[in-house]
Amino acid sequence: DPIAMGILTKVYGFDERILVLAYAISMTAFVFIALAMQDAGAIAFGMVFCRYFLRLGNLALGESESLRMIRQREICDLLIGIAQDVGVDLDRSQIKAQWDNFISYPSHQDTIVMSLPFLTLLCAAVHCQEP
């Protein structure tokens, strides 16, 4: 979803669906206005207006960057503890570096390269009742 990946980077779940739906409805309204006025400029104005609307929605409804950073650090600390419990051959700095690479990897990519110990650590951290 290019809208969610490019503009709505901090909004998830219900709020994201509402903003995307409002975007689609607004763009449809501008298309009908352009057809009624027989002026293609209304579509261009609508695109600009709707993009700013999405950016404002991302700012107003999105989570703050500081909360995201705290959450990432907490998960990294948990992974370090799990690595010590499981016996994965990674030290604290390696886990932090690989976790930062994993988190910052673009989610629209379909493949990711990671080391086998880090993959083992992620598997140990995620519990599935039915694999």
Side-chain angles (χ1 to χ4, degrees):
D1 187 8
I3 294 173
M5 299 305 299
I7 298 174
L8 297 177
T9 57
K10 299 178 184 178
V11 180
Y12 308 102
F14 181 73
D15 293 336
E16 179 185 22
R17 284 188 223 128
I18 293 297
L19 286 173
V20 171
L21 181 64
Y23 174 79
I25 291 171
S26 299
M27 278 306 302
T28 305
F30 277 107
V31 167
F32 283 127
I33 290 171
L35 288 174
M37 293 175 48
Q38 297 179 352
D39 183 15
I43 295 175
F45 175 74
M47 290 182 72
V48 171
F49 174 80
C50 291
R51 291 283 173 151
Y52 279 117
F53 171 75
L54 285 177
R55 287 191 178 106
L56 287 174
N58 192 40
L59 288 173
L61 300 175
E63 68 180 1
S64 68
E65 194 62 34
S66 60
L67 283 177
R68 182 182 289 190
M69 186 62 66
I70 290 171
R71 185 179 303 122
Q72 289 176 1
R73 292 296 141 227
E74 287 293 322
I75 293 172
C76 185
D77 290 342
L78 288 172
L79 286 175
I80 291 168
I82 292 171
Q84 292 171 352
D85 293 343
V86 174
V88 175
D89 188 26
L90 291 172
D91 64 1
R92 182 179 190 87
S93 62
Q94 290 173 325
I95 293 172
K96 183 181 180 317
Q98 291 188 30
W99 173 248
D100 288 340
N101 288 340
F102 180 72
I103 286 298
S104 64
Y105 197 78
S107 59
H108 64 277
Q109 299 290 333
D110 56 354
T111 58
I112 185 169
V113 177
M114 65 177 65
S115 68
L116 183 60
F118 188 69
L119 179 63
T120 305
L121 177 60
L122 289 178
C123 290
V126 177
H127 300 287
C128 296
Q129 292 185 1
E130 293 184 27

